[in-house]
């Protein structure tokens, strides 16, 4: 019983194994069929089936027993294998047949070629091979040469690597320094601009006060003279206490100036109206001084929180000089020479905050710190004219003067200069003459042209507002201290100041204002109501004031002076040359005509 049971279990196990093997065989056959289908087309499969059918019914094997030769029906996988094998055999045969045919055709063609053609073909082939060979040889040589150059370059780069690394670190430091410097100046520049504006306003306010006081005195005196010329019963007193106070202050200032001239023995040669009335009270001067001191304290505190390397001109130039010495080519490529004046501009303006050429005492620009630092920048003991000609920083100081100093002077002229003041005019002329002599300023400079335009505009305004010569009876004009004589001398003073610009300003506009407007319109008209002696004396001063270069024969100036020449001739004809009272006047008149090439 036990054995029977054991046999049945073994039998069941074998059946399971057989079923598993059959399943594995089926899966294997299915996989093979799929792979064969990938390499066999449908037409090949049909052809294989067709061959199998023909072989079943038409091919008879040579066997005695017909039953042994009954063929079994072939499976799809078998047919696929046969079709694949047949396709594999047909392709080489087709290739071989085509190749054989091509070779036969080539042989047939080659058999028809002549020896000369064969030789030419061989020669052509040989030439091409030689060209290819030569090209390959040149390529090899080029590659070898490139390899040698690359090895040399590699060695050179290896040797230069430490220097390049050091230069890279230097450029990084310079980049950071330049960025910090620009940020610092960008923050401080508005403060500097504000201080500069306030300083200019203090000067301008002071100068406008003096000019307006002088013009008010002229109006008051004109009113007083108009009242004095009226009959005694029709005269009126001063309109207000303010006018009385102004008259008292005016006479007090004149008295103090007269006493000062007496001390200096200048009373005889002086003409009333030729001096400038710029006296102010002690309280007013103290107020002006306090304003400037406040501005000075604020200017000193601007860079109190900044390292010296970022606001001292000499230290900033030291940084850029290190770049210049390290790599001059990159220094030029970065246009440092063009940027330096802009970088140093705020610092230069801060140092020149209280500077003005109109002041009695002002610091010479050659003694300023920025000037010394810029002049010594990139200086070398071995400099020559050739090296200076190639130096990109040779125009550093002239550029700063052109871009920074000239605009400042133009603003001072526009707001602070009084053309009627001989002292201020001569100081300004001396400064501009020195600039033109010591520095290569260009005539085409925009800043220089703007400065000259401001000067001409200011002269025109003074001509319109400061020249007033009243015409009164000759009896009133006889006294040298009369209002008429004072105003005439004031106009003569302005005439002298205008002619002081000869050689700096253009002759045409200067001649038009001095002669065409001031002389012919005001001075000559006032001379016509003077006595002969007085008129000749005034004309003698005027002619001797004219520049000699303007009085050349047949010059344009002589044409503008025709009115004066005609008046001198008429006056000379009206006086008696034999009269001792007019002998000196006649001699002066003849000298005037000789100087004007009209005698």
């Amino acid at each position: 019983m036990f054995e029977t049971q054991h046999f049945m279990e073994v039998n069941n196990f074998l059946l399971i194994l057989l079923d598993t093997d059959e399943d594995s065989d089926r899966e294997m056959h299915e996989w093979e069929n799929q792979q064969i289908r990938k390499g066999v087309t449908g037409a090949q499969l049909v052809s294989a089936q067709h061959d199998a059918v023909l072989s079943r019914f038409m091919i008879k094997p040579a066997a005695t027993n017909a039953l042994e030769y009954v063929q079994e029906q072939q499976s799809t996988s078998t047919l696929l294998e046969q079709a694949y094998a047949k396709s594999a055999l047909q392709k080489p045969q087709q290739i071989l047949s085509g190749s054989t045919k091509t070779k036969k055709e080539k042989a047939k063609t080659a058999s028809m070629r002549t020896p000369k053609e064969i030789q030419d073909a061989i020669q052509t082939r040989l030439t091409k091979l030689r060209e290819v060979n030569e090209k390959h040889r040149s390529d090899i040589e080029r590659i070898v040469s490139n390899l040698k150059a690359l090895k040399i370059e590699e060695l050179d780069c290896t040797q230069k690597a430490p220097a390049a690394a050091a230069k890279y670190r230097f450029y990084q430091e310079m980049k950071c320094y330049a960025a910090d410097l620009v940020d610092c100046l960008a923050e401080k520049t508005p403060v500097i601009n504000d201080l500069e504006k306030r300083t200019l306003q203090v000067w301008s306010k002071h100068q406008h006060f003096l000019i307006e006081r002088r013009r008010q005195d002229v109006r008051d005196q004109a009113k007083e003279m108009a009242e004095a010329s009226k009959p005694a019963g029709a005269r009126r007193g001063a309109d207000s206490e303010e006018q009385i106070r102004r008259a008292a202050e005016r006479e007090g200032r004149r008295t103090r100036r007269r006493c000062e001239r007496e001390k200096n023995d200048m009373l005889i040669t002086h003409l009333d109206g030729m001096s400038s009335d710029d006296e102010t009270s002690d309280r007013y001067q103290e107020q002006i001084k306090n304003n400037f001191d406040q501005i000075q304290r604020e200017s000193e505190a601007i860079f109190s929180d900044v390292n010296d390397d970022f606001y001292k001109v000499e230290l900033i130039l030291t940084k850029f000089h290190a770049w210049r010495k390290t790599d001059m080519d990159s220094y030029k490529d970065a246009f440092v020479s063009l940027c330096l004046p802009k970088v140093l501009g705020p610092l230069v303006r801060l140092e020149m905050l209280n500077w003005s050429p109109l002041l009695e005492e002002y610091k010479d620009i050659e003694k300023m710190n920025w000037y010394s630092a810029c002049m010594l920048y990139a200086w070398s003991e071995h400099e020559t004219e050739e090296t200076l000609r190639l130096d990109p920083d040779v125009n550093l100081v002239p550029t700063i003067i052109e871009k920074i100093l000239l605009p400042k002077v133009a603003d001072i002229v526009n707001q602070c200069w009084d053309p009627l003041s001989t002292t201020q005019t001569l100081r300004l002329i001396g400064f501009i003459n020195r600039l033109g002599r010591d520095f290569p300023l260009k005539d085409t400079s925009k800043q220089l042209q703007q400065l000259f335009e401001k000067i001409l505009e200011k002269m025109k305004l003074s001509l319109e507002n400061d020249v007033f010569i009243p015409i009164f009876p000759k009896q009133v004009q006889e006294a040298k201290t009369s209002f008429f004589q004072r105003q005439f001398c004031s106009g003569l003073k302005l005439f002298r100041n205008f002619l002081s610009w000869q050689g700096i300003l253009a002759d045409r506009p200067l001649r038009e204002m001095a002669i065409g407007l001031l002389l012919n319109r005001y001075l000559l008209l006032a001379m016509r109501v003077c006595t002969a002696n007085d008129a000749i004396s005034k004309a003698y001063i005027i002619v001797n004031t004219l520049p000699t270069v303007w009085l050349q024969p047949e010059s344009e100036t002589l044409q503008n002076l025709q009115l004066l020449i005609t008046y001198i001739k008429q006056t000379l004809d009206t006086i008696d040359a034999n009269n001792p009272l007019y002998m000196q006047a006649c001699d002066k008149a003849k000298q005037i005509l000789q100087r004007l090439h009209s005698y």
Side-chain angles (χ1 to χ4, degrees), residues 345-357:
L347 304 177
V348 173
R349 290 191 288 111
L350 179 62
E351 187 176 355
M352 301 185 68
L353 196 62
N354 295 325
W355 177 90
S356 172

Side-chain angles (χ1 to χ4, degrees), residues 137-339:
R137 185 180 292 106
S138 62
D139 290 342
I140 292 173
E141 293 177 355
R142 179 175 53 81
I143 292 172
V144 171
S145 177
N146 290 340
L147 286 175
K148 292 180 180 179
L150 290 174
K151 289 181 180 179
I152 295 174
E153 185 177 356
E154 179 185 5
L155 180 61
D156 184 62
C157 291
T158 303
Q159 294 176 351
K160 293 181 178 179
K167 187 177 290 186
Y168 175 77
R169 288 194 298 272
F170 172 78
Y171 283 140
Q172 289 297 105
E173 294 174 359
M174 197 67 200
K175 176 184 177 182
C176 295
Y177 173 77
D180 293 341
L181 177 62
V182 171
D183 292 341
C184 175
L185 295 178
E187 180 181 352
K188 302 298 183 181
T189 297
V191 183
I192 296 174
N193 293 339
D194 181 66
L195 290 178
E196 192 174 32
K197 183 178 179 180
R198 286 169 54 189
T199 303
L200 196 62
Q201 287 177 348
V202 173
W203 280 335
S204 176
K205 184 177 180 181
H206 171 64
Q207 195 61 45
H208 286 172
F209 166 75
L210 296 179
I211 293 175
E212 184 58 32
R213 186 181 68 179
R214 182 184 66 227
R215 292 174 180 173
Q216 183 61 47
D217 288 342
V218 172
R219 289 192 289 269
D220 290 344
Q221 291 179 87
K223 185 180 295 185
E224 292 174 3
M225 293 301 298
E227 292 295 329
S229 63
K230 294 180 180 179
R235 297 177 184 175
R236 294 186 304 174
D239 293 341
S240 62
E241 295 182 358
E242 185 69 19
Q243 182 176 349
I244 298 175
R245 182 186 62 80
R246 290 196 300 266
E249 292 178 352
R250 179 178 68 246
E251 294 302 324
R253 292 192 300 271
R254 288 178 180 175
T255 302
R256 286 188 288 271
R257 290 198 302 271
R258 190 179 299 109
C259 293
E260 187 68 23
R261 286 192 294 271
E262 289 178 356
K263 293 180 181 180
N264 299 327
D265 294 332
M266 298 175 57
L267 188 60
I268 299 176
T269 59
H270 177 74
L271 296 176
D272 286 341
M274 300 294 285
S275 60
S276 296
D277 185 7
D278 53 2
E279 180 184 344
T280 55
S281 64
D282 294 340
R283 181 179 179 182
Y284 181 84
Q285 294 178 6
E286 185 67 20
Q287 183 180 359
I288 295 294
K289 184 178 180 299
N290 292 336
N291 292 334
F292 281 122
D293 291 342
Q294 177 65 24
I295 294 174
Q296 183 65 28
R297 286 193 296 269
E298 293 181 13
S299 66
E300 293 174 354
I302 290 179
F303 289 99
S304 60
D305 58 343
V306 177
N307 191 286
D308 292 352
D309 292 340
F310 296 93
Y311 79 93
K312 289 190 175 181
V313 177
E314 57 272 16
L315 297 181
I316 294 175
L317 292 177
T318 301
K319 294 286 187 179
F320 285 99
H321 186 256
W323 183 2
R324 175 189 167 107
K325 291 178 61 178
T326 302
D327 190 355
M328 189 64 169
D329 293 335
S330 65
Y331 181 86
K332 292 180 179 179
D333 294 339
F335 300 102
V336 178
S337 302
L338 297 178
C339 299

Side-chain angles (χ1 to χ4, degrees), residues 457-488:
E457 290 176 2
K458 198 75 178 205
M459 291 168 66
K460 291 179 181 178
L461 289 175
S462 181
L463 183 63
E464 294 173 357
N465 300 314
D466 292 325
V467 180
F468 173 70
I469 306 176
I471 306 300
F472 292 114
K474 293 184 179 181
Q475 292 79 6
V476 181
Q477 302 165 10
E478 288 296 333
K480 291 185 178 180
T481 58
S482 67
F483 179 61
F484 170 82
Q485 297 291 350
R486 180 181 295 276
Q487 289 305 112
F488 183 88

Side-chain angles (χ1 to χ4, degrees), residues 498-513:
F498 281 3
L499 295 181
S500 299
W501 289 100
Q502 197 279 324
I504 299 177
L505 300 178
D507 285 346
R508 184 178 295 275
L510 185 60
R511 187 166 48 237
E512 180 181 355
M513 282 193 297

